[in-house]
Amino acid sequence: MEPLLILVLALSVVVGLALGLLGGGGSILMVPLLTYVAGMDAKQAITTSLFVVGATSLASLLPHARARNVRWAAGLVFAASSMSGALLGGLASAAIPGGVLMAAFAIIMLASARNMIRGRKKDNDAAAKGRSLLLYIPVGLAVGMVTGLVGAGGGFLIVPALVLLAGVQMKHAVGTSLLVISLNSASGMLGHLNSTSVNWPLALSITAAAIIGSLVGARLTARVPEQKLRRGFGYFVLAMGIFVLSQELPNPAGLVLASAATVVAVAWVLCTKVPALAVICPWRKAPAGPAPTAG
């Protein structure tokens, strides 16, 4: 087995782990992996990613379903509308240059990273009462369009939408999102297959590796602190998004973006790890002084 193929399969396990653990993030990592490591062109990488992420989501859905972490009514209504959007997005992608699709994908990565790093408010299943399932239709269409266009399964869009609209707990939103992602990915892939071919032996090998990771991730859901993991993963996705965008932007814009991101990252690490520098960091709050005493 070639070293490059071993690397691709090993990284695919990591992608599956993220998908099973967080209910999303598979395509956020899979598309750059297939593009920059496996050497696929943008459209083939997006189509292959839809297959891998869809099959992996379906596999990791099973342990979540056994743990009763899937809200089937909410998920199926959401999926019904988003599948239409995914099919339309997949068909429309044939008319869009690959570089534009990758740049759009990078922007989605940055938005997803922001949501993961900021976190979300605590959820409450009781909030689901009285909310109409009709609210899922426009949101599902929008998420589906993103899925079909850029190969993003939409987990980091679906999870907050389920929390907001259905008021379910995070673990239930994660399980339900896997149902939606698997259906969305299948619909989006059908649209892409109209104009793109897939290397099926490689795709099936990557899928098998990702499924292994997803099953491990699903088992770890109740054991790993979700907030810390999500924030750490968010910073990683942020770095990947900047990298992809820097590769797709024309020079010197790409070089400037990569250089600026590196400077900011180094400054952030220094301000975090070196107390003496924290006082001069513009984004760090100055410590509050002693309360004035009554004269």
Side-chain angles (χ1 to χ4, degrees):
M1 186 178 294
E2 297 181 2
L4 182 60
L5 179 58
I6 295 175
L7 177 61
V8 170
L9 295 179
L11 293 175
S12 298
V13 174
V14 177
V15 172
L17 182 66
L19 193 58
L21 194 56
L22 299 174
S27 54
I28 290 293
L29 298 177
M30 184 56 70
V31 172
L33 167 62
L34 295 176
T35 302
Y36 301 113
V37 181
M40 296 183 183
D41 64 68
K43 292 189 177 183
Q44 187 180 30
I46 289 172
T47 306
T48 305
S49 172
L50 286 168
F51 173 77
V52 175
V53 171
T56 306
S57 298
L58 186 61
S60 56
L61 172 66
L62 300 178
H64 281 279
R66 285 197 294 267
R68 298 185 179 181
N69 288 338
V70 180
R71 293 295 178 261
W72 294 99
L76 290 173
V77 172
F78 195 104
S81 58
S82 61
M83 285 176 69
S84 301
L87 180 59
L88 292 174
L91 292 171
S93 68
I96 302 175
V100 174
L101 290 175
M102 288 301 296
F105 186 84
I107 293 173
I108 291 173
M109 291 180 75
L110 298 178
S112 297
R114 177 178 177 272
N115 289 338
M116 285 183 279
I117 293 169
R118 289 185 62 186
R120 305 183 182 91
K121 297 179 180 179
K122 292 183 178 179
D123 321 308
N124 185 359
D125 273 342
K129 295 181 178 179
R131 299 190 181 185
S132 173
L133 291 179
L134 294 177
L135 293 173
Y136 290 73
I137 296 176
V139 179
L141 282 171
V143 172
M145 283 291 291
V146 172
T147 298
L149 277 172
V150 301
F156 289 112
L157 301 174
I158 296 168
V159 170
L162 290 173
V163 170
L164 176 64
L165 295 178
V168 298
Q169 295 178 1
M170 181 62 70
K171 64 179 181 179
H172 297 144
V174 168
T176 306
S177 75
L178 292 169
L179 170 65
V180 180
I181 291 171
S182 60
L183 296 174
N184 270 0
S185 298
S187 182
M189 186 184 70
L190 289 176
H192 277 273
L193 286 176
N194 185 55
S195 58
T196 308
S197 61
V198 175
N199 182 342
W200 288 111
L202 178 59
L204 291 172
S205 300
I206 293 172
T207 301
I211 287 176
I212 293 173
S214 73
L215 295 177
V216 175
R219 289 182 175 273
L220 293 176
T221 301
R223 301 180 184 180
V224 179
E226 187 270 340
Q227 184 177 2
K228 290 184 178 180
L229 178 67
R230 187 173 292 275
R231 289 195 67 185
F233 191 72
Y235 284 117
F236 178 71
V237 171
L238 177 63
M240 288 293 297
I242 293 172
F243 171 76
V244 172
L245 195 58
S246 69
Q247 294 294 307
E248 299 303 329
L249 289 176
N251 285 325
L255 180 61
V256 170
L257 175 64
S259 301
T262 301
V263 170
V264 171
V266 171
W268 182 84
V269 171
L270 291 175
C271 287
T272 304
K273 303 299 181 181
V274 182
L277 297 177
V279 294
I280 63 174
C281 292
W283 59 81
R284 303 274 295 186
K285 291 183 178 179
T293 58

